[in-house]
Amino acid sequence: MGRLKQKGKAGAAKAYMTRTAAVKKLQCSLADFRRLCILKGIFPREPRNKKKANKGSTAPTSFYYAKDIAYLAHEPILNKLREHKAFAKKISRALGRGEWSIAKHLEDQKPTYRLDHVIKERYPTFIDAVRDIDDALCMVFLFATLPANDRVSSSLVANCFRLAAEWQLYIMHSRSLRKVFLSIKGIYYQAEVMDETITWLVPYQFTQNVPSDVDVRVMLTFLELYQTVLGFVFFKLYADAGLVYPPTLDTSRDEAGAGIGSFNLRVANPALVIPAKSENTTKKASSKDVHQAIRHIASESSTVEHSTFMAAVNDDVQAIEADEEFVPHLSTSEPNEVASLPTWQSLSAVPKSDPSLLFSPYTFFLSREVSRPVFEFLIRSFGGRVGWPPSSGDGSPVTESDDTITHVITDRPIVTGTGGSQEEKERRRKRRYVQPQWVADCINAGQVLLEDLYTQGATLPPHLSPFDAKPGAYDPTAPLSEEEEEDIRIDDVDGEADEIEGQPETEKLLSVNAGDVDGSRAAELAAEVAGVDYEEMQREVQKVQKAQRSERKATGRDDETDMAKMLLSNKKRKLYERIKHSQKKRAAEHDTLMEKRKKIERERRRSARS
């Protein structure tokens, strides 16, 4: 007879633990438990059967793996949190009694902890940390724009601003930026670092307000972890790039509003000075030294033989290339023209454009209404020079009157007037005045676009997201299908040319949908006798058919699907319904955007005819 299992001692009841039981076992407060779980990367789990996991109770609660809680019980940070709790009690008692010297002594011995071991546990390799810095960058850039208050200290905001500037400096130095999207929520950037795609969001430079209903303590715990991670990652990235970390800060330029220009990048000197050995040595050579000298001589001789062999191979390769080189010959039919065919040598000799140096031939000047930190970062990331007026900050490398300026980024309407000297008019004639969207669209396209569509005061083309969309999502760049073109022709009552082109397709649809050629002919004869215009009847019939197609598409019901759903279990049926609901929601959004596009297309065609 097997051993009897007691209730609540095996299975899900033993594998899972409620949050209340976990806090009781760790002997810490709920706030410290949440902080510890965030730092260690432990999150609630969903058991298969909540009733069994909760030992028969159906009360709503959060569950954790019992192994994770046992893992937290041996965490050194937990002891530091307990020490900090005792420290808070002691210093509160000292301040209440007016014992200022004791309170100052306790403040000097305040318990602190480090997160180095946590970073090594969560990110065993450097690539793991690089893959996980998307959220860290978003959080750091967010706190860098927040105002300091009683919940967010000024030192924390300054440290986040420093980390954000260090990341931007590295991206500009390594030319790693690939895409940018100016959205309503903020600016999305995407870069490739260590062959990893990193995307982060930067809010616009408006006055931010911390909502009162947001638990800032949870965000500060995440920020504490993210700051440590970014410190490790930045140190490694700067070291691999041959730069000194951290970059030095020029306080005078920082106070003058230089922004990221107040940080100075310094190149590290990897040269190591090896002390030379004294020549007056009388040390006796050992047998080990003799063997090492023999191996050194053998390696040198092999190196010479290898170099001689490679030289001979290179000579043979050059001879083969000389034999295979294309020699132009005169044509028998056209002796005056010489054939010029592209060869591998000619194609390889053509210089290839580097997308990371997109703006290197140009010099930009930012108007005062343009966000200088954003476009300075974009232009310098692609090799361009950029200047700004003194009202936007200190440290501009070029002035507004510089003759090397090729483009002026402005976001103000055109002011007509005859003011200005002849020199200013000549300077304006040589420069291109474009709107800020041109910079972002050039980066996403990977080439310098024509400035005609982005001139000052012009109506800008749509700024589309450069990121890969989900399968089935609305793509505004995709051409219209035949059915969508047909819907536009049906609704376009004022376009005679479109109606004429749509008549054969309409007759085909009538024959297919009606299923009876004689019936459709009889309907046409009846309409003719009644005096109804043929084209008007065709439009009405097509509208009815369009409504029927939309109804069939919206319902999407068939007998086979209903029968398959009846064979599913209750849990799987509910999961299937949730999946179908999300699919219908996405399809509705897609149809809404497509209807807007059809409306714009109809108006464009009508204006073109008029």
Side-chain angles (χ1 to χ4, degrees):
M1 181 177 177
R3 187 173 58 181
L4 296 177
K5 293 183 179 179
Q6 296 181 2
K7 185 178 180 180
K9 299 294 184 181
K14 186 178 181 180
Y16 294 93
M17 182 180 295
T18 63
R19 188 181 65 180
T20 305
V23 172
K24 185 177 180 180
K25 182 176 181 178
L26 296 177
Q27 298 181 3
C28 63
S29 62
L30 181 59
D32 290 342
F33 175 74
R34 289 175 176 171
R35 188 174 190 178
L36 200 60
C37 289
I38 292 173
L39 296 178
K40 298 293 289 184
I42 295 175
F43 47 90
R45 305 287 181 166
E46 186 72 17
R48 290 180 177 271
N49 194 324
K50 292 185 178 181
K51 188 175 180 180
K52 291 182 179 180
N54 207 10
K55 301 179 182 180
S57 176
T58 57
T61 183
S62 301
F63 295 92
Y64 294 86
Y65 281 145
K67 291 184 177 180
D68 291 343
I69 303 303
Y71 173 65
L72 286 179
H74 302 281
E75 174 58 39
I77 298 179
L78 181 59
N79 297 328
K80 290 293 183 180
L81 293 177
R82 293 169 180 167
E83 292 178 6
H84 188 274
K85 186 176 181 181
F87 158 78
K89 290 182 179 179
K90 292 179 182 179
I91 197 171
S92 178
R93 186 189 308 114
L95 292 176
R97 293 178 178 179
E99 300 173 348
W100 312 115
S101 59
I102 297 178
K104 185 178 182 305
H105 178 70
L106 290 174
E107 182 66 24
D108 295 338
Q109 296 181 350
K110 181 179 179 180
T112 58
Y113 60 87
R114 297 178 62 87
L115 300 178
D116 299 356
H117 66 285
V118 177
I119 303 302
K120 293 179 182 178
E121 290 174 2
R122 296 189 61 174
Y123 308 108
T125 62
F126 176 66
I127 297 298
D128 295 333
V130 173
R131 292 195 190 106
D132 202 35
I133 65 172
D134 294 7
D135 294 337
L137 291 173
C138 294
M139 184 73 76
V140 165
F141 275 94
L142 172 62
F143 273 84
T145 59
L146 291 181
N149 52 22
D150 54 346
R151 294 190 291 175
V152 181
S153 62
S154 59
S155 60
L156 182 66
V157 175
N159 189 40
C160 291
F161 176 78
R162 178 184 61 83
L163 290 173
E166 291 173 359
W167 173 252
Q168 290 182 330
L169 287 172
Y170 174 78
I171 294 298
M172 290 188 297
H173 177 79
S174 60
R175 303 283 192 268
S176 303
L177 191 63
R178 295 295 178 266
K179 297 177 182 178
V180 59
F181 179 55
L182 309 175
S183 70
I184 298 176
K185 293 191 297 184
I187 305 174
Y188 287 89
Y189 297 100
Q190 190 175 90
E192 290 185 4
V193 178
M194 305 292 291
D195 296 333
E196 296 292 336
T197 302
I198 301 173
T199 307
W200 71 98
L201 174 64
V202 179
Y204 291 109
Q205 289 187 328
F206 298 139
T207 302
Q208 305 292 339
N209 182 26
V210 182
S212 58
D213 57 344
V214 174
D215 192 357
V216 183
R217 294 178 300 174
V218 177
M219 299 180 67
L220 291 178
T221 305
F222 276 103
L223 184 63
E224 181 183 5
L225 176 66
Y226 290 155
Q227 285 178 330
T228 310
V229 173
L230 293 179
F232 278 97
V233 172
F234 291 172
F235 176 79
K236 176 66 174 174
L237 292 177
Y238 272 67
D240 292 345
L243 302 174
V244 176
Y245 184 82
T248 58
L249 175 64
D250 191 347
T251 56
S252 60
R253 298 183 63 183
D254 184 37
E255 293 175 356
I260 58 176
S262 58
F263 291 87
N264 299 321
L265 286 178
R266 294 179 299 166
V267 179
N269 186 14
L272 299 178
V273 180
I274 302 177
K277 295 184 178 180
S278 176
E279 297 179 356
N280 301 327
T281 179
T282 57
K283 182 179 178 180
K284 186 177 180 180
S286 61
S287 59
K288 183 179 180 180
D289 297 335
V290 174
H291 290 300
Q292 289 180 354
I294 293 174
R295 284 197 298 268
H296 181 67
I297 294 173
S299 63
E300 285 185 351
S301 61
S302 63
T303 303
V304 172
E305 293 176 358
H306 178 71
S307 60
T308 306
F309 173 74
M310 291 303 297
V313 171
N314 291 333
D315 294 340
D316 296 339
V317 170
Q318 291 177 0
I320 293 173
E321 290 180 352
D323 294 338
E324 293 182 353
E325 186 176 0
F326 175 75
V327 178
H329 296 280
L330 297 178
S331 176
T332 56
S333 60
E334 297 178 357
N336 296 328
E337 296 184 1
V338 179
S340 59
L341 297 178
T343 61
W344 173 254
Q345 294 180 353
S346 62
L347 292 176
S348 60
V350 176
K352 299 180 180 180
S353 60
D354 189 1
S356 61
L357 300 177
L358 188 65
F359 298 139
S360 57
Y362 308 111
T363 302
F364 297 83
F365 188 83
L366 305 177
S367 298
R368 64 175 182 269
E369 72 276 1
V370 179
S371 178
R372 174 215 153 186
V374 174
F375 289 92
E376 180 188 3
F377 171 63
L378 293 178
I379 294 171
R380 290 181 58 184
S381 297
F382 288 86
R385 297 178 67 232
V386 58
W388 53 88
S391 59
S392 298
D394 191 18
S396 176
V398 295
T399 59
E400 189 175 3
S401 60
D402 197 327
D403 294 335
T404 61
I405 296 176
T406 58
H407 293 78
V408 176
I409 310 298
T410 180
D411 198 13
R412 65 181 70 173
I414 299 178
V415 179
T416 58
T418 59
S421 61
Q422 186 67 25
E423 183 181 358
E424 293 179 356
K425 293 180 180 180
E426 183 67 19
R427 189 185 301 124
R428 289 183 60 89
R429 188 184 62 82
K430 293 180 179 179
R431 298 174 180 176
R432 295 295 183 93
Y433 287 79
V434 293
Q435 300 186 44
Q437 183 182 326
W438 178 78
V439 178
D441 288 351
C442 289
I443 293 173
N444 298 332
Q447 59 182 353
V448 179
L449 303 177
L450 295 177
E451 297 90 347
D452 299 338
L453 299 177
Y454 302 88
T455 56
Q456 183 180 2
T459 301
L460 294 173
H463 179 59
L464 304 178
S465 173
F467 306 111
D468 297 331
K470 296 180 180 180
Y474 172 72
D475 185 10
T477 60
L480 295 175
S481 62
E482 295 181 359
E483 184 178 355
E484 294 165 352
E485 289 284 354
E486 175 192 348
D487 294 340
I488 294 177
R489 289 196 298 267
I490 292 173
D491 296 336
D492 190 7
V493 295
D494 295 334
E496 297 181 359
D498 292 344
E499 291 292 339
I500 295 174
E501 294 177 0
Q503 285 178 7
E505 184 69 20
T506 303
E507 294 176 0
K508 182 177 68 174
L509 289 173
L510 280 173
S511 62
V512 173
N513 293 325
D516 186 6
V517 180
D518 295 335
S520 62
R521 291 177 180 175
E524 293 175 2
L525 291 175
E528 185 178 356
V529 172
V532 179
D533 189 13
Y534 174 76
E535 295 181 354
E536 184 179 354
M537 186 201 71
Q538 293 284 63
R539 289 195 296 268
E540 294 296 332
V541 171
Q542 290 179 358
K543 288 181 180 180
V544 172
Q545 293 172 352
K546 177 184 176 182
Q548 293 176 353
R549 288 198 307 269
S550 302
E551 184 179 359
R552 289 195 300 269
K553 184 178 179 182
T555 56
R557 290 183 174 273
D558 55 357
D559 296 336
E560 296 182 359
T561 305
D562 295 338
M563 291 294 295
K565 286 173 60 178
M566 292 174 61
L567 299 177
L568 296 176
S569 62
N570 188 24
K571 183 177 181 180
K572 292 183 179 180
R573 190 183 301 112
K574 290 181 180 179
L575 177 62
Y576 175 77
E577 292 293 342
R578 289 197 298 268
I579 294 174
K580 297 299 292 183
H581 175 72
S582 61
Q583 290 178 354
K584 290 180 181 179
K585 186 176 180 181
R586 288 195 297 268
E589 295 176 355
H590 181 277
D591 294 341
T592 302
L593 295 174
M594 185 56 67
E595 288 298 328
K596 291 182 179 180
R597 182 177 180 183
K598 291 178 183 178
K599 183 179 179 180
I600 295 174
E601 185 67 20
R602 287 193 296 268
E603 293 177 354
R604 186 186 64 81
R605 294 182 180 181
R606 291 174 186 175
S607 61
R609 287 196 303 269
S610 61

